[in-house]
Amino acid sequence: MDAQDSNELKPDLMSFSKTMQTLSNPLNSSVAAQSESFLEIRDISKVYPTPGGDFVALDGVNLTVKEGEFICLIGHSGCGKSTLLNMVAGFHQPTSGMITLHQKPITEPGPDRMVVFQNYSLLPWKTVFENVYLAVDAVYKDKSKGEKKAIAQEHIELVGLTEAADKRPGEISGGMKQRVSIARALSIRPEMLILDEPFGALDPITREELQEELLSIWREHRVTVLMITHDIDEALFLADRLVMMTNGPAAKVGEILEIPFSRPRMRSRLMEDPRYYELRNEALDFLYRRFAHDEIEE
Ligand SMILES: Nc1ncnc2c1ncn2[C@@H]1O[C@H](COP(=O)(O)OP(=O)(O)OP(=O)(O)O)[C@@H](O)[C@H]1O
């Protein structure tokens, strides 16, 4: 593990351990909800108290996510994307407004919503297998050790890491670490996968590989995905809808682009589609003209 990893691991590990504390609760089995009322973000604001006074990070954020949808969230640095995702994950509460899943308010982290961070948040002293097993063990209280081991192994295999199961995070690449995080998140069968810029630290080739793996996992598991990205092309390849946020303070959803490409998607096909460039230009126009970041313009 390099120095940067060790510095950045701490907050994510704190969030992860907070999730793990609530994982020991029985699974929330509100499965009968209608798809149109899956995740509702209603008129959310988030105000942070600071020594200089209250800072309004988000104000009037509204978004409805359908079950099984793949949503990407984009916006300039500091606009409040992580703030919003942390509230959906249940790590923080909104100052006003409400977020509901299956019409029940989200009040804490839970195994129905698993988070994957950019910095992997793996326990460096545990092996790949142990990192995944830990989550499985915390959730599946009624299963035998053998069954739990099989679940961990199955998900390590799903992300192609069987050969590396006995290695520790410091002995594997960034792409492999992110695969472990995804395997760990999926191993407890969440309804939602919440991804905070998961591929931001990866090289372009690994990034494209993982995007494709994520799409096939999403298709097979029918999990609902909410993912932050800074990359318009990544969003156009992955998402059903691209949610573009205005700049803070008091950021909100500025515009939502419907991404019409049929699935399964092939990157080379998308590049040949004139609509790809229209959508890309629309996103670029939003980010760099209508909501240009002051610092970027200077
Ligand atoms: N605990 C906090 N106290 C005070 N201000 C905060 C706190 N957390 C976040 N903020 C502020 O809220 C705003 C939104 O932060 P957030 O991290 O959600 O943005 P972001 O869009 O995810 O940024 P990035 O893309 O750089 O990760 C920023 O101005 C940030 O400085």
Side-chain angles (χ1 to χ4, degrees), residues 69-256:
E69 250 192 315
F70 198 127
I71 300 283
C72 278
L73 200 61
I74 207 165
H76 288 295
S77 180
C79 75
K81 303 176 294 295
S82 299
T83 297
L84 184 60
L85 254 63
N86 282 332
M87 291 191 288
V88 174
F91 297 138
H92 301 152
Q93 288 297 306
T95 308
S96 65
M98 193 183 278
I99 306 182
T100 58
L101 187 66
H102 296 302
Q103 296 173 315
K104 284 175 64 181
I106 291 174
T107 55
E108 59 179 359
D112 50 356
R113 286 156 283 127
M114 284 303 285
V115 186
V116 174
F117 297 99
Q118 180 176 358
N119 304 314
Y120 326 120
S121 63
L122 301 175
L123 302 175
W125 60 91
K126 299 271 184 200
T127 64
V128 165
F129 173 81
E130 287 164 345
N131 265 284
V132 178
Y133 183 82
L134 197 69
V136 175
D137 189 42
V139 169
Y140 296 108
K141 293 286 178 203
D142 298 336
K143 291 197 189 292
S144 70
K145 202 165 181 188
E147 286 171 317
K148 288 186 278 195
K149 275 185 168 177
I151 293 171
Q153 274 155 357
E154 178 197 327
H155 287 85
I156 289 168
E157 193 182 337
L158 180 78
V159 296
L161 284 183
T162 303
E163 302 296 312
D166 294 328
K167 294 195 169 166
R168 291 195 164 71
E171 299 168 317
I172 59 178
S173 70
M176 291 162 89
K177 281 187 250 195
Q178 202 50 294
R179 287 188 171 94
V180 181
S181 301
I182 292 171
R184 182 181 59 192
L186 288 170
S187 66
I188 61 162
R189 297 282 163 166
E191 292 187 72
M192 282 197 79
L193 203 51
I194 299 170
L195 304 147
D196 194 345
E197 235 206 308
F199 308 141
L202 306 178
D203 67 84
I205 294 171
T206 310
R207 191 179 178 122
E208 289 194 358
E209 274 173 21
L210 274 178
Q211 288 167 358
E212 274 156 39
E213 283 177 28
L214 178 63
L215 272 190
S216 64
I217 285 169
W218 168 74
R219 249 196 333 267
E220 276 171 38
H221 283 238
R222 301 312 308 164
V223 65
T224 305
V225 176
L226 192 55
M227 169 171 160
I228 292 178
T229 178
H230 279 106
D231 181 341
I232 295 171
D233 294 300
E234 178 167 271
L236 292 179
F237 180 59
L238 295 175
D240 293 315
R241 288 190 293 154
L242 172 56
V243 175
M244 301 191 287
M245 298 197 47
T246 65
N247 294 333
K252 49 169 62 70
V253 173
E255 195 177 321
I256 300 180

